[in-house]
Amino acid sequence: MSVRGWSCVGLLALGAALVGCGGGSAPTPLPEGSGPTAAPSPTQTSTGPGAPVLAAYLAYWDAVIHAHRAANPADPVLARHAAGAELTKVRNAVARNRQQQISIRGTVTHQPRVSAASGATAVVDDCYDISEWNPVSLRTGRPIAATEQGGTGRYRGRFGLRRGAGSWIVVSSSISGAC
């Protein structure tokens, strides 16, 4: 799809919506939003044995959203919430978008649940909704029309976490389709 000289195709990778578009000039800083960005569903509780894992998972998403919003692959907050191959995937996605003069703005909602936890490892399954997380031109600050391959905006993801130094960190992710 072509919009004002931009060729945009939405991609789903790393548990994050990524948009590939052509373009190019120096990024223009855009104002930050306020409030939470990775919102759990209204029915999610913050107590119980899985609460620290779910809190770490949502903090990971806040870091991913912040890095995309700022178009900053070196955002230091990312390294506090993701590690290894997962950190590399997210940084590469943000770098691709920045190179193409794109920031992604908005919210992502979640329906996470801890599906496994043993010792220093845990797995979170989530149906997350990225339909309100959209590409914005870094040059103009305006939204960019894009087509997302999956089409629904809601995806089933599985995220691996590991505990280290007292906190949980996301180390892997896989997407298994729409939910």
Side-chain angles (χ1 to χ4, degrees), residues 18-29:
L18 311 176
V19 177
C21 298
S25 70
T28 302

Side-chain angles (χ1 to χ4, degrees), residues 32-164:
E32 287 296 319
S34 61
T37 53
S41 70
T43 59
Q44 184 175 329
T45 63
S46 59
T47 61
V53 172
L54 291 176
Y57 170 72
L58 292 173
Y60 156 81
W61 268 99
D62 282 342
V64 168
I65 291 166
H66 184 267
H68 275 285
R69 178 176 184 76
N72 181 7
D75 187 331
V77 177
L78 279 174
R80 291 194 298 257
H81 300 286
E86 187 66 14
L87 178 59
T88 299
K89 284 193 293 185
V90 174
R91 283 183 169 162
N92 288 344
V94 174
R96 276 191 306 272
N97 285 343
R98 180 183 174 119
Q99 181 180 19
Q100 296 171 9
Q101 301 300 304
I102 296 170
S103 170
I104 303 186
R105 306 291 172 87
T107 60
V108 177
T109 57
H110 300 273
Q111 295 177 339
R113 69 178 180 81
V114 177
S115 58
S118 177
T121 62
V123 175
V124 171
D125 288 322
D126 190 7
C127 175
Y128 61 93
D129 186 340
I130 59 171
S131 61
E132 297 299 321
W133 197 34
N134 300 300
V136 173
S137 168
L138 285 171
R139 293 183 340 196
T140 67
R142 294 190 178 134
I144 299 169
T147 302
E148 196 212 333
Q149 288 178 337
T152 67
R154 295 181 50 161
Y155 297 94
R156 185 171 315 285
R158 176 164 276 188
F159 298 82
L161 289 86
R162 117 177 142 232
R163 184 173 35 209

